[in-house]
């Protein structure tokens, strides 16, 4: 996130103070993405938006839910983050005329997050990977989310081979904002290397037909396309990533190990300890599912 982009939508000093509350680059990126999206849709700086803008933004998001483009929980997340920022801005600046939290009233009637993070049953994950097996880039993206626990934001931010490192026989990805390199399992590393061998020279690891860096919206559309092709429910990229944590807990990893892999705090990863997921994983373990991912 460049400095000039921050200045375009949000007062630089205000954002600098607000971002101090974040413990990870991923969380900060999520907040900034939702704030900037709201401002772009309104065509205004944050301080110039009003209740009418929030009302129109809600209607716009509601239509996207109805069309199956976005999930209700994702909209809840967006409104929760926007509520958090505008409430902070109002209190920090003391200027209720410039910053007013019009998001909170909508949150009262929105779908709430459940106690556990959403995951994907292993049989559906298997079908999703099979559906994407004809496109090595998409297959590699799914693999990095599912096996290494990378988020859409982290994946689209990768530039190339320089973001990866080998320590002995173990492979890691270097992600800005994380204190430690993120481990990449051997099966995922093999698939990544296959993709690296055939990719074009480009300033980003994953790119579109024009050679431009992919964004999170592209990955969201990718998920919708392959879920439809696989004949399974519509799952988000976050649900694929969540499976990494569920799998780690299912096979006995400690909270610290899971937190380190996911780039989260131990408090945050409690949502991934699902007994029902563990039971389903064990039942499916002897069936033909890609818990250990194969090359497409």
């Amino acid at each position: 996130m460049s400095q000039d982009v921050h200045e375009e939508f949000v007062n630089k000093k205000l954002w600098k103070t607000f971002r101090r509350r974040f413990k990870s680059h991923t969380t900060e990126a999520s907040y900034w993405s939702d704030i900037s999206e709201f401002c772009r849709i309104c065509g205004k700086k944050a301080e110039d938006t009003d209740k009418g803008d929030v009302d129109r933004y809600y209607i716009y998001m509601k239509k996207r839910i109805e069309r199956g483009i976005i999930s209700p929980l994702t909209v809840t997340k967006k409104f929760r983050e926007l509520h958090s920022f505008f409430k902070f801005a109002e209190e920090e600046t003391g200027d209720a005329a410039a910053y007013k939290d019009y998001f909170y009233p909508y949150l009262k009637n929105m779908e709430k997050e459940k106690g556990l993070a959403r995951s994907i049953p292993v049989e559906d994950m298997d079908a999703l990977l099979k559906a994407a097996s004809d496109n090595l880039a998409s297959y590699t993206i799914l693999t990095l989310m599912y096996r290494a626990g990378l988020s859409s934001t982290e994946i689209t931010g990768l530039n190339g081979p320089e973001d990866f490192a080998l320590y002995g026989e173990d492979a890691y990805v270097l992600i800005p904002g994380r204190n430690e390199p993120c481990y990449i399992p051997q099966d995922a590393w093999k698939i990544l290397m296959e993709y690296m061998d055939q990719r074009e020279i480009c300033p980003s690891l994953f790119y579109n037909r024009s050679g431009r860096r992919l964004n999170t919206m592209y990955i969201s559309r990718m998920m919708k396309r392959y879920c439809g092709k696989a004949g399974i429910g519509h799952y988000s990229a976050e649900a694929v990533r969540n499976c990494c944590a569920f799998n780690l807990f299912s096979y006995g990893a400690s909270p610290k190990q899971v937190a380190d892999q996911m780039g989260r705090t131990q408090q945050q990863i409690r949502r991934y300890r699902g007994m029902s997921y563990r039971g389903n994983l064990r039942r499916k373990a002897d069936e033909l599912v890609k818990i250990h991912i194969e090359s497409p």
Side-chain angles (χ1 to χ4, degrees):
M1 289 176 285
S2 63
Q3 180 173 307
D4 59 329
V5 173
H6 285 305
E7 292 176 346
E8 180 182 350
F9 294 122
V10 179
N11 176 277
K12 177 184 175 183
K13 183 178 179 181
L14 184 65
W15 176 256
K16 186 176 181 180
T17 304
F18 182 69
R19 66 185 293 195
R20 290 173 186 163
R21 63 179 59 196
F22 304 127
K23 294 183 178 180
S24 76
H25 173 74
T26 302
T27 304
E28 179 186 340
S30 176
Y31 270 78
W32 178 250
S33 175
D34 289 335
I35 294 169
S36 59
E37 176 190 60
F38 169 67
C39 292
R40 279 197 305 270
I41 290 173
C42 296
K44 300 177 181 180
K45 293 182 178 180
E47 62 193 59
D48 296 328
T49 58
D50 54 29
K51 185 177 184 300
D53 293 312
V54 178
D55 293 341
R56 286 186 288 273
Y57 180 70
Y58 174 75
I59 293 171
Y60 170 71
M61 286 297 167
K62 190 174 180 181
K63 288 180 179 177
R64 296 189 77 201
I65 292 173
E66 292 170 353
R67 290 162 57 193
I69 298 173
I70 196 170
S71 74
L73 283 178
T74 299
V75 176
T76 301
K77 178 192 78 76
K78 290 177 181 292
F79 269 73
R80 187 179 65 247
E81 292 181 352
L82 288 163
H83 151 66
S84 178
F85 171 73
F86 276 86
K87 182 174 183 293
F88 165 83
E90 182 180 349
E91 295 173 350
E92 182 72 14
T93 63
D95 188 355
Y99 296 99
K100 189 74 174 177
D101 177 20
Y102 295 110
F103 296 91
Y104 181 69
Y106 280 111
L107 276 172
K108 295 178 180 178
N109 298 317
M110 285 186 171
E111 186 170 336
K112 301 295 189 297
E113 286 189 359
K114 298 178 176 64
L116 291 175
R118 191 185 187 198
S119 63
I120 303 179
V122 286
E123 61 270 28
D124 283 0
M125 192 66 224
D126 186 50
L128 180 61
L129 287 163
K130 287 178 180 176
S133 61
D134 61 349
N135 186 301
L136 187 54
S138 297
Y139 196 88
T140 305
I141 289 171
L142 287 170
T143 299
L144 290 175
M145 291 190 292
Y146 183 63
R147 294 290 285 131
L150 300 190
S151 69
S152 296
T153 301
E154 290 171 338
I155 288 172
T156 56
L158 294 173
N159 298 312
E162 66 270 23
D163 291 329
F164 300 91
L166 282 171
Y167 297 100
E169 296 182 354
D170 294 331
Y172 295 84
V173 57
L174 311 173
I175 301 175
R178 291 211 191 186
N179 295 326
E180 300 290 339
C182 178
Y183 173 68
I184 301 179
Q186 289 185 357
D187 56 334
W189 180 252
K190 180 181 177 181
I191 293 165
L192 177 62
M193 287 300 96
E194 290 181 17
Y195 170 72
M196 289 275 207
D197 287 341
Q198 62 87 53
R199 69 184 285 270
E200 298 177 7
I201 297 176
C202 193
S204 59
L205 181 62
F206 296 103
Y207 47 86
N208 61 22
R209 292 177 181 176
S210 302
R212 296 179 179 176
R213 183 184 298 274
L214 298 188
N215 55 32
T216 55
M217 183 57 68
Y218 177 94
I219 293 182
S220 178
R221 291 194 296 266
M222 179 195 82
M223 288 296 303
K224 184 177 181 181
R225 180 170 69 254
Y226 285 119
C227 283
K229 183 179 177 181
I232 58 178
H234 176 57
Y235 295 106
S236 66
E238 183 180 8
V240 177
R241 183 194 186 216
N242 290 347
C243 290
C244 177
F246 277 104
N247 285 336
L248 288 170
F249 271 130
S250 294
Y251 285 102
S254 70
K256 184 180 186 307
Q257 288 172 323
V258 178
D260 289 345
Q261 182 68 33
M262 301 296 292
R264 299 288 186 89
T265 65
Q266 292 191 49
Q267 180 71 23
Q268 290 171 321
I269 53 90
R270 289 181 180 179
R271 297 177 60 237
Y272 302 109
R273 303 191 76 161
M275 293 303 296
S276 61
Y277 182 92
R278 182 181 301 180
N280 183 54
L281 182 62
R282 287 175 175 170
R283 286 193 300 273
K284 299 293 179 179
D286 293 328
E287 298 179 17
L288 191 59
V289 295
K290 292 188 177 75
I291 295 171
H292 176 94
I293 301 186
E294 305 163 355
S295 297

